[in-house]
């Protein structure tokens, strides 16, 4: 197993040559710089066509299989008995968990197999149950409206900082019933959890570790206040009082918290930003939206497909098997590239185009499928729907006035800066 | 043709007809019955076509099998009962002509 990790900083420069001339065996789609420059799509396009189940024998993350077609991804994602999410085998991302002495050995149910996964997931799902979301909707709408009302019209602002981060942080604070004035901590912890040292968020693994321990201690304080509290539908009260989660060891407690924070933060944040980019790059669709605001309902899943806020999930093969005619050996690292599957022309019509009134917009891979399917998918959609409804009431156009800046990461498809000007009706 | 009636959460009834061999998920989607999403395309992978089989029909439809993918997924859905199934796993044939399925308030 490779020991050089994603956290050792930016990867090597690829010599500038046409993608078609790179020998297949040399293609390595895991390089974070390919995502930061947003050039990875052309590599996936070639793999889908020429070698859809592709083996990369050498990378900064060790050898791995790339699954690039929609149906193959679906087959792996729904076969949890053969393809494990277990942290001790490497977990759920191409970057192994537990491979670095300075990392915390976090445990979270997304990186567990049955039966422990099921018990812990069941304990927290009521927080995002459809019935609970109905209660959250007016709160989120009011807060979204307040954010938008505070923005200057006609001046350049950073949409990421002013809207995407603000709204997702507020929602998360609501879900956790987190002390309101300190809610910026949630954003910070989310960023730190997935950060590469040297990427501008943390300087070292030691700093990362320190901050995450602070996070755990803070939540421990909230937990202690809420344990044995009989009412409260927030996530902490639920975890503190459910038999499946109340006795969790410390690192499992921290891991599951971070899972819920990252799960509810980065992903929605980047979809809120991604929607603005998609509409600006497709002005005909923006016009269609202005004429038919009722299309917001189908635009929301299209934004989530288009953005694909998590580029991949990874599994580890528990036995020898076959995918798309290739022999996968027990122990192999199998990476399901959702970003590629969501552009698979054999399943999704005109996949490169952003179309707000697609026929089956919810048929995409961004939430994953099977028992690990995104637990907060309805909450994510709710937030996106509300923000676009509230934007429509206030502004004719959110105009992109400069190129977006993207995150150096092969997992989180992040937008770090998005200069826009708001145009009134 | 097989007749199926979907009963929405608010009590509205949606009687539909479909070719034998199709699933209850398809019967709902092809006829635009509200409340059945079926995100995954009918592959038993998302649990967004959750229905409650009318008690009078559950024995003929069959109950959820332990240790099945369907059961694995439905354990995370809201408001499941002993009559819960995924519509994509209910294959319609003449034996099920007249089937009544109740649609939950919302899908996960």
């Amino acid at each position: 197993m490779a020991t050089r990790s994603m956290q050792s900083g930016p990867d090597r420069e690829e010599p500038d040559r046409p993608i078609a001339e790179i020998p297949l065996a040399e293609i390595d789609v895991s390089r974070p710089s390919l995502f930061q420059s947003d050039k990875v799509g052309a590599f996936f396009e070639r793999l889908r066509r020429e070698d859809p189940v592709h083996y990369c024998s050498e990378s900064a993350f060790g050898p791995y299989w790339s699954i690039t077609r929609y149906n193959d991804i679906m087959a792996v994602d729904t076969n949890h008995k053969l393809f494990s999410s277990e942290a001790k085998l490497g977990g759920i991302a191409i970057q192994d968990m537990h491979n670095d002495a300075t990392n915390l050995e976090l445990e979270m149910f997304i990186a567990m197999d049955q039966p422990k996964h099921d018990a812990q997931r069941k304990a927290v799902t009521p927080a995002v149950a459809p019935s609970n979301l109905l209660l959250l909707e007016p709160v989120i709408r009011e807060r979204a409206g307040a954010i938008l009302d505070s923005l200057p019209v006609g001046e350049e602002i950073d949409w990421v900082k002013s809207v995407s981060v603000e709204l997702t942080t507020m929602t998360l604070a609501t879900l956790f019933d987190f002390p309101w004035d300190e809610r910026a901590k949630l954003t910070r912890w989310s960023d730190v959890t997935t950060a590469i040292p040297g990427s501008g968020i943390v300087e070292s693994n030691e700093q990362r570790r320190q901050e995450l321990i602070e996070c755990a201690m803070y939540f421990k304080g909230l937990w202690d206040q809420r344990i044995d509290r009989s009412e409260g539908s927030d996530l902490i009260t639920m975890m503190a009082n459910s038999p499946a989660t109340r006795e969790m060891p410390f690192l499992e407690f921290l891991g599951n918290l971070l899972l819920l924070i990252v799960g509810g933060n980065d992903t929605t944040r980047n979809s809120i930003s991604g929607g603005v980019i998609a509409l600006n790059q497709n002005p005909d669709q923006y016009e269609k939206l202005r004429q038919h605001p009722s299309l917001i309902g189908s635009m929301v899943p299209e934004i989530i497909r288009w953005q694909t806020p998590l580029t991949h999930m990874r599994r580890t093969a528990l036995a020898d098997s076959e995918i798309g005619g290739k022999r996968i050996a027990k122990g192999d690292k199998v990476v399901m590239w959702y970003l590629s599957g969501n552009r698979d022309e054999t399943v999704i019509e005109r996949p490169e185009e952003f179309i707000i009134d697609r026929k089956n917009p919810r048929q995409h891979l961004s939430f994953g499928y099977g028992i690990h399917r995104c637990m907060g998918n309805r909450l994510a959609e709710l937030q996106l729907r509300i923000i676009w409804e509230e934007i429509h009431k206030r502004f004719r156009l959110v105009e992109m006035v400069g190129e977006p800046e993207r995150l150096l990461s092969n997992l989180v498809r992040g937008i770090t800066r998005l200069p826009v000007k708001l145009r009134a009706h | 043709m097989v007749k199926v009636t979907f009963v929405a959460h608010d009590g509205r009834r949606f009687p539909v007809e479909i070719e034998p061999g199709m699933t209850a998920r398809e019967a709902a989607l092809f006829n635009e019955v509200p409340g059945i999403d079926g995100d995954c395309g009918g592959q038993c992978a998302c649990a967004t076509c959750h229905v409650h089989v009318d008690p009078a029909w559950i024995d003929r439809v069959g109950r959820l099998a332990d240790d099945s993918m369907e059961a694995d997924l439905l354990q995370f859905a809201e408001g499941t009962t002993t009559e819960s199934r995924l519509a994509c796993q209910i294959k319609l044939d003449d034996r099920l002509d007249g089937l009544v399925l109740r649609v939950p308030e919302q899908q996960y």
Side-chain angles (χ1 to χ4, degrees):
Chain A
M1 201 56 68
T3 49
R4 199 190 131 197
S5 73
M6 178 163 73
Q7 299 174 347
S8 58
D11 52 285
R12 66 185 185 276
E13 279 300 306
E14 177 70 13
D16 205 15
R17 53 181 169 168
I19 291 163
E21 288 172 18
I22 303 172
L24 275 175
E26 285 176 30
I27 289 183
D28 173 13
V29 286
S30 73
R31 290 178 294 127
S33 63
L34 283 179
F35 295 85
Q36 189 173 39
S37 61
D38 203 27
K39 286 183 177 158
V40 75
F43 288 86
F44 284 136
E45 196 272 331
R46 184 166 170 219
L47 289 184
R48 281 197 304 276
R49 204 177 49 232
E50 295 180 27
D51 195 22
V53 178
H54 174 260
Y55 190 65
C56 176
S57 58
E58 252 188 88
S59 84
F61 312 94
Y64 66 94
W65 290 96
S66 283
I67 314 297
T68 62
R69 283 191 179 164
Y70 189 103
N71 289 326
D72 291 335
I73 292 170
M74 178 70 100
V76 173
D77 226 357
T78 52
N79 196 345
H80 55 268
K81 290 187 164 52
L82 184 56
F83 297 106
S84 169
S85 295
E86 174 57 48
K88 290 185 174 60
L89 299 177
I92 51 157
I94 190 167
Q95 158 85 54
D96 288 333
M97 296 171 98
H98 299 178
N99 72 337
D100 188 328
T102 57
N103 272 349
L104 292 166
E105 300 218 344
L106 297 172
E107 291 198 35
M108 42 182 84
F109 64 82
I110 195 175
M112 290 174 191
D113 290 336
Q114 292 177 315
K116 202 170 167 186
H117 160 270
D118 296 359
Q120 294 200 355
R121 176 170 171 144
K122 259 189 274 187
V124 290
T125 33
V128 288
S131 51
N132 209 33
L133 296 186
L134 288 176
L135 305 175
L136 280 178
E137 175 161 354
V139 183
I140 297 175
R141 187 175 297 280
E142 190 197 322
R143 289 171 177 175
I147 293 170
L148 295 172
D149 284 337
S150 73
L151 301 173
V153 172
E155 281 174 36
E156 183 174 321
I157 54 167
D158 177 10
W159 183 259
V160 174
K161 191 169 152 229
S162 306
V163 178
S164 310
V165 169
E166 278 292 301
L167 183 69
T168 41
T169 303
M170 285 181 170
T171 305
L172 212 49
T174 308
L175 269 181
F176 281 110
D177 194 10
F178 195 85
W180 193 243
D181 295 339
E182 303 209 61
R183 64 188 187 277
K185 285 184 193 296
L186 289 168
T187 317
R188 175 69 193 165
W189 291 328
S190 174
D191 289 344
V192 168
T193 302
T194 55
I196 304 173
S199 62
I201 296 166
V202 290
E203 289 315 307
S204 64
N205 274 318
E206 184 48 33
Q207 185 194 350
R208 180 170 173 271
R209 182 189 157 86
Q210 280 306 326
E211 290 202 37
L212 293 182
I213 288 174
E214 264 170 51
C215 165
M217 298 313 292
Y218 192 97
F219 272 102
K220 181 74 172 55
L222 296 180
W223 177 288
D224 289 344
Q225 288 165 21
R226 294 179 196 178
I227 200 154
D228 297 327
R229 190 161 95 169
S230 56
E231 56 197 53
S233 55
D234 68 278
L235 280 167
I236 300 170
T237 306
M238 275 182 198
M239 284 167 77
N241 293 290
S242 158
T245 45
R246 65 182 304 159
E247 305 294 338
M248 270 188 303
F250 185 73
L251 287 170
E252 211 170 292
F253 166 64
L254 177 59
N256 280 322
L257 276 174
L258 293 175
L259 168 63
L260 297 167
I261 294 174
V262 174
N265 193 45
D266 265 355
T267 49
T268 313
R269 177 203 302 176
N270 291 316
S271 296
I272 293 172
S273 304
V276 170
I277 299 175
L279 284 168
N280 274 270
Q281 289 175 347
N282 299 271
D284 60 317
Q285 299 297 310
Y286 210 152
E287 185 52 35
K288 203 192 296 178
L289 176 67
R290 269 189 293 269
Q291 300 300 326
H292 309 282
S294 63
L295 290 175
I296 288 172
S298 62
M299 177 178 79
V300 163
E302 174 69 349
I303 288 174
I304 296 168
R305 178 192 75 89
W306 173 262
Q307 178 62 22
T308 316
L310 292 178
T311 67
H312 76 273
M313 283 281 123
R314 163 266 180 94
R315 301 288 183 259
T316 307
L318 292 176
D320 292 352
S321 62
E322 199 182 293
I323 309 170
K326 296 284 181 82
R327 291 174 58 89
I328 311 288
K330 179 180 175 179
D332 281 359
K333 187 187 283 200
V334 177
V335 180
M336 303 175 283
W337 292 106
Y338 294 151
L339 182 59
S340 175
N342 276 341
R343 297 287 186 277
D344 184 342
E345 40 287 282
T346 65
V347 174
I348 296 167
E349 219 176 301
R350 292 150 69 200
E352 298 295 338
E353 292 173 46
F354 177 74
I355 303 171
I356 65 171
D357 51 356
R358 275 187 187 279
K359 226 172 77 200
N360 297 310
R362 295 182 53 85
Q363 199 174 338
H364 62 68
L365 295 167
S366 298
F367 295 129
Y369 281 110
I371 63 167
H372 293 286
R373 179 173 168 84
C374 174
M375 190 183 104
N377 74 85
R378 300 290 166 171
L379 177 60
E381 291 180 343
L382 178 68
Q383 288 186 75
L384 285 168
R385 179 167 59 75
I386 291 172
I387 193 81
W388 281 103
E389 285 169 357
E390 296 303 310
I391 290 169
H392 178 76
K393 284 182 200 163
R394 290 167 176 80
F395 310 113
R396 178 175 56 83
L397 176 65
V398 182
E399 185 187 0
M400 204 164 96
V401 293
E403 283 306 301
E405 290 170 18
R406 291 173 183 277
L407 186 69
L408 181 68
S409 167
N410 61 17
L411 176 62
V412 176
R413 190 152 182 255
I415 296 147
T416 51
R417 190 168 171 275
L418 180 61
V420 303
K421 283 184 184 172
L422 300 171
R423 304 295 182 192
H425 277 294
Chain B
M1 298 295 271
V2 182
K3 289 194 188 66
V4 183
T5 300
F6 292 89
V7 183
H9 190 72
D10 61 9
R12 280 182 301 159
R13 297 175 78 85
F14 296 88
V16 304
E17 287 192 5
I18 193 155
E19 303 264 346
M22 306 295 263
T23 66
R25 170 188 173 276
E26 291 162 322
L29 292 186
F30 294 171
N31 292 289
E32 295 178 3
V33 174
I36 302 286
D37 296 334
D39 292 356
C40 74
Q43 306 195 46
C44 194
C46 69
T48 63
C49 63
H50 175 203
V51 289
H52 301 286
V53 179
D54 187 276
W57 288 89
I58 188 66
D59 288 336
R60 242 177 291 178
V61 170
R63 285 184 202 270
L64 194 59
D66 288 347
D67 203 32
S68 61
M69 183 66 178
E70 189 183 352
D72 283 350
L73 289 168
L74 265 173
Q75 62 177 329
F76 307 121
E78 189 179 38
T80 51
T81 66
T82 50
E83 282 89 34
S84 285
R85 292 292 309 265
L86 292 179
C88 70
Q89 300 304 299
I90 301 175
K91 206 168 194 188
L92 300 168
D93 55 29
D94 293 338
R95 277 183 333 119
L96 295 180
D97 191 25
L99 177 65
V100 178
L101 300 171
R102 294 175 199 281
V103 181
E105 188 174 7
Q106 289 189 68
Q107 305 286 345
Y108 250 104

